[in-house]
Amino acid sequence: MDIPPYAQTAFEILESAGFEAWIVGGFIRDTLMGRSDNARDIDMATSATWRETKRAFVEAGFSAHETGTDHGTVTVVVDGHAIEITTYRIDGMYTDSRHPDTVSLASTIEDDLARRDFTVNALAYHPRRGLIDPYGGFSDIEDGILRTVGEPLRRFGEDSLRILRGCRFASQLGFDFDPVTFEAMCAAKSKTLSLSRERVSHEIDLFITGSHVHDALLRCIDVLAAVLPELVALKGFDQKSVFHCYDVLEHTAWVVHNTPAHPLVRWAALLHDIGKPAACYESDGARHFRGHPEISIIIGRGLLQRLGYSSKFTEQVLSLVKRHDDRIAATRKAVRSALRDLDGDTALFIALCQLKRADAMAKAPEYRMRAQTCESLLEILNEILAAEEPFTREGLAINGNDVIALGVAPGPEVACALDAALDAVIEEEVGNSLDELVAFVESWVSSR
Ligand code: ATP
Ligand code: MG
């Protein structure tokens, strides 16, 4: 297994100070899976106490930060790369389903591996000593199985974050669950309600941005139900519509999957149809969902606020949810107006196109060609940006002072005049030059 030079340096520093060290955790798992990414963080376990680790690195001329000394962790930075180094430990009793009451030092790496969550994460590697794999993690990686180290109900009872980590690994790695582990995740799911919302939202962000999110969402819905109960109504909800070939949950899972792996657009995808069961009405055997984006917004806002997302992020997600069904014609006029409606936020417009494209691709096959329109919208956006065509007040060749000089009263009227000018430019009724806009505002003033 290739390990990067900065990790070699860390081994040399700890070993020449008389300690033992191993690489553990996600780096080993991902490297064995061929998912190696040199940019990712490395976790190490060592026989040194955190003070000894810190001293060894500082004496060798590297920085060491006390990032979790309560449980024996310091983060060292070697050649610009952070490495989390944690003393071998055994966790004591857990009384709060999250934090061990005591953390005691372990004397061997084997003891340390016993406290780790899943077998695929309980591997240690040393460049000369090779791999230590006491729980069959390597074979679980080969089989694509998530299985707890030890008895799952006890391990989830100790720390319920492991339940959400399990869902997240299913989405990131594309793994299935060992049946006993999965049953315990379901049985212990209500314990995840006592986790801090930061922990939950962090894991859900990782879950929805995983590259196997479609399969993982369908697999984990009954577990995620504890922290995302709003999703449950989508499961098995038949759309009875010519546009659709999946129930709302599977449609949603595909839409999330078909968007780029960024939290904003993926959250919008997760929530876009969450209001459908509530909006549903049936006529002539077909179901209709008129107004569902507004209901999705109500449900989505509650959910995102409960999980502690910032109001800025929440409103961005919801503005995508609100518009996901809007028809935007593939014309410059329509794209400029859409950009104006998004306050000129081109990144949000791009996310909207990505969402609409993913939504179209998750419909019945005969309606998937609508995805093509979204590609065209993105091409038109590029043309508009290249031509510097205006879609905000700031992009106009006339400004507030000009408008006041033409007799508009300072105050809210100025914005009204500029908005009217912007609409006229977007609609190509007036060109974006000072002369034309002066004439436009003069006639606007006289018509008031
Ligand atoms: P990634 O870094 O890709 O998120 P990871 O597996 O490295 O995944 P970390 O959170 O970095 O996860 O943790 C490093 C290792 O520490 C894990 O692989 C696992 O062995 C152990 N670990 C982390 N959190 C827990 C936990 N809540 N319970 C038990 N072991 C844990
Ligand atoms: Mg890690």
Side-chain angles (χ1 to χ4, degrees), residues 46-48 87-91 103-113 115:
T46 180
S47 59
T87 309
Y88 297 157
R89 63 179 231 226
I90 300 172
D91 296 339
V103 172
S104 51
L105 300 189
S107 51
T108 66
I109 182 69
E110 285 81 2
D111 286 344
D112 178 85
L113 292 177
R115 72 168 172 90

Side-chain angles (χ1 to χ4, degrees), residues 94-121:
Y94 289 73
T95 43
D96 66 352
S97 295
R98 173 68 196 121
H99 302 101
D101 301 344
T102 54
V103 172
S104 51
L105 300 189
S107 51
T108 66
I109 182 69
E110 285 81 2
D111 286 344
D112 178 85
L113 292 177
R115 72 168 172 90
R116 297 182 179 270
D117 49 5
F118 295 96
T119 60
V120 298
N121 291 341

Side-chain angles (χ1 to χ4, degrees), residues 24-27 40-43:
V24 289
F27 182 87
R40 65 160 302 138
D41 288 352
I42 288 187
D43 304 296

Side-chain angles (χ1 to χ4, degrees), residues 227-282:
V227 288
L228 301 173
E230 297 88 341
L231 285 178
V232 175
L234 310 187
K235 186 180 165 185
F237 194 90
D238 186 344
Q239 312 212 44
K240 295 190 188 169
S241 150
V242 293
F243 299 116
H244 287 283
C245 57
Y246 302 119
D247 71 26
V248 185
L249 184 66
E250 182 154 22
H251 166 74
T252 298
W254 278 122
V255 179
V256 176
H257 194 94
N258 292 340
T259 52
H262 300 303
L264 174 66
V265 68
R266 289 223 162 163
W267 264 112
L270 187 70
L271 301 177
H272 79 290
D273 276 354
I274 207 164
K276 270 194 168 176
C280 177
Y281 67 95
E282 232 172 286

